[in-house]
Amino acid sequence: MRALPYTTAILVALAGAAFSISAQAAAVKTEHVEAELVSEANALVSGADNSLALRIAPQKGWHVYWRNPGDSGIPTSISWTLPEGAAASDLQWPYPHRETLGDIVNYGYSEEVLLPVTLSLAPGLTADAPLVLKAKAKWLVCKDLCVPGSADLELSLPVVANSAATAINEDHRAGFAKARNELPQPAPADWTLNFQVYDSGSQKDFALAVRRGAITSDGEVSFFPYAGDLIGHSAAPRWAKDADGSLRLSQTLSDYYTKAPDKVDGVLVVHDGDRDKAWEISAKPGKVALVPVSAAKPAEETPPAAAPSPNYLLVLLLAVLGGVVLNLMPCVFPVLSIKAISLVEARGATAARQRAHALFYTAGVLLTFAGLAGLLLVLRGSGSVIGWGFQLQQPAFVAALAYLFFAMGLSLSGVVEFGTRLMGVGQSLVGSGGYRASFFTGVLAVAVASPCTAPFMGTALGYALAQPAAVAISVFLALGFGLALPFLAIGFFPFLAKALPRPGAWMETFKQFMAFPLYLTALWLIWVLGGLTDRNGMTVALLGLLLIAFALWLWKRTGLVSGALKLAAIAAALALLASPMMTKIAATHVAAQGVGYEPYSEARLAELRAEGRTVFVNFTADWCITCKVNERVALASDAVKNAFAERKVVWLEGDWTREDPLITRTLEHFGRSGVPLYLVYAGAAEPTVLPQLLTPEMVVAALPPAVQAPNP
């Protein structure tokens, strides 16, 4: 009888060896991730809780996500297929780490992590053969791009009647110990946990207080809420310890915050080297003093910005080329029509005067580009997630442009004359000064160039917005120089101007004809406005156009009544820009539903990629002329439609007509500052980025070949 323990030991050892072989065979290596099911012991105990874990090991430089992924991402998940008598708990989550990419902060794990699971077996459960546990794990792994992944996992273990017949699995002893140490513990019973939300026009902060807490460490403090829309994840937490040992933490509210919750749950971590402590907390509303910025631990001194990379000169060249090509894009045509009139009128001027006109036009372009770049950088620095063309996401600005182009069209049609010579829209603003007119024509050219993105521009602007302010503005100025370059060349090389026709009586007919592109532009802007607001907003804008027409009709009339009417009509038209109808934007924007495509979301994209589907992603906007041309010329072609149907392509459309921080971050991820952006995903492979100007052949060539059915 005394031999029984030795027999048991041998059986346990053999079971342990079998387990090790099984565990090694069960590990699944996928792109950038290794995953497997592991057990803390080498056997399962019936009638007891058993410690298992999903082991996730990302490739170096990559990370997977916590239960709240932060600014973007998808939490790791697992679904089980278990034999009768077995039940698995939800995943348990060791506290995460902040994973930073630019101004995006995610919560997750960049090193191997064990996500514990408790497996309960019914009492008396026995098995003649090892118990087979099956599960499907899904994750999103990210670096500078994100790849969804999944694996079918399996683990076979013997079942024993009591824990005396088990032994610790040495291969994963350290991993389970680390996971257990990093699991948040329940907050001590003597803690009083309160939170307060400060949500006013000038202040948007969250404050958390742990009172009567015995937190002795002076290490850094982190708070990871379970809700994803409470705090700004990229904002640095501020903390302070009061004299009574209480801890207060403050952090900026999320852009998606709507109202104060009934309670706030999450994980509070005090970092203290190898002795980090994490507590799971649930705070109730209460009065909490904010931690001011000055009280927070000072950030490490930021090193001086690195000198521009060798690619800087190439980016400047691309920006200049993009500006030149921008002159050929449809959104700039209306302003070029005005500039064409001024060039023909100035044909007989002296060389010095022609050069001056060219320089004033260039100055208008460059100063406006610099101002636009500065405004964009300031807004982004304050936390706004915006990109190229952001002004056309503002209803009042769009309406103002529509008014301006409509008034210019009426002027060219002869309804009213601004000044003695029409050399550009500048005369409508400052009188008859020709140089000033050229300057303001340059200003207007930049204002209306935003709907278009020419080739080379996307790379240049995407680079610029990731650089220090001086470098960014220099790239914008290079783009403006390219836009002005054709007219600068005509001004400085008189032989180019000789190719222009001589002024004559035909000019009046030509001028009136050129009014129609301006009317068409105003019509298009009203259509864009309808997408930004609704039918009421469009109607209000049309009423504004009517008032503008009435005011201009009265322009040459004299007398007290007509003067009062002129002022009243113009004032009413301008007042409509601030009307609530004009500034109304729906809280959520549902992408237009059409045959063949779905609204874009990161979750839907990850789901389709995990299924191995081919996905075409179109990031577009109603005000993006380049986008609309591509959609008509390429995406609506029979060749593309047939290829999508044949190859079972799923079309996702990201609508950036209104501000959408998630789409903006995706654009930045691919080095773009605006739309269009076209991506082709073939399952889990890295996406193919298509050019900004499409042909049907380009789209079809980017798709993976159709899978041929096997011959019968």
Side-chain angles (χ1 to χ4, degrees), residues 268-407:
L268 182 71
V269 183
V270 177
H271 303 277
D272 190 10
D274 295 333
R275 296 176 295 174
D276 290 357
K277 289 288 293 181
W279 291 277
E280 186 172 45
I281 65 171
S282 182
K284 299 178 180 179
K287 188 172 180 59
V288 179
L290 274 174
V291 179
V293 175
S294 59
K297 182 179 179 180
E300 295 182 2
E301 184 176 353
T302 304
S309 67
N311 290 330
Y312 174 62
L313 294 179
L314 175 61
V315 170
L316 289 181
L317 177 61
L318 291 176
V320 173
L321 291 175
V324 173
V325 177
L326 196 58
N327 285 287
L328 304 177
M329 306 303 286
C331 54
V332 188
F333 281 170
V335 173
L336 295 188
S337 67
I338 299 171
K339 192 60 184 169
I341 295 172
S342 68
L343 286 174
V344 173
E345 288 185 338
R347 187 183 184 280
T350 64
R353 185 170 177 82
Q354 289 181 1
R355 286 196 298 270
H357 275 296
L359 289 173
F360 272 93
Y361 173 77
T362 302
V365 169
L366 293 180
L367 288 177
T368 308
F369 258 112
L372 190 63
L375 177 61
L376 193 152
L377 293 173
V378 167
L379 292 175
R380 288 168 64 91
S382 67
S384 299
V385 187
I386 56 175
W388 176 249
F390 69 95
Q391 65 271 36
L392 287 169
Q393 295 172 332
Q394 312 305 319
F397 182 83
V398 173
L401 272 186
Y403 289 0
L404 179 59
F405 277 105
F406 183 64

Side-chain angles (χ1 to χ4, degrees), residues 595-614:
V595 177
Y597 64 84
E598 307 174 30
Y600 169 83
S601 71
E602 290 182 348
R604 180 59 175 153
L605 175 61
E607 178 184 345
L608 292 169
R609 296 185 69 192
E611 295 173 359
R613 302 290 298 274
T614 299

Side-chain angles (χ1 to χ4, degrees), residues 364-456:
V365 169
L366 293 180
L367 288 177
T368 308
F369 258 112
L372 190 63
L375 177 61
L376 193 152
L377 293 173
V378 167
L379 292 175
R380 288 168 64 91
S382 67
S384 299
V385 187
I386 56 175
W388 176 249
F390 69 95
Q391 65 271 36
L392 287 169
Q393 295 172 332
Q394 312 305 319
F397 182 83
V398 173
L401 272 186
Y403 289 0
L404 179 59
F405 277 105
F406 183 64
M408 290 160 51
L410 290 176
S411 175
L412 292 181
S413 295
V415 174
V416 65
E417 292 289 341
F418 297 121
T420 59
R421 299 173 64 208
L422 183 63
M423 300 191 58
V425 71
Q427 289 184 313
S428 69
L429 300 173
V430 296
S432 60
Y435 295 150
R436 293 175 178 177
S438 292
F439 176 85
F440 280 106
T441 304
V443 172
L444 189 61
V446 178
V448 299
S450 305
C452 285
T453 302
F456 313 113

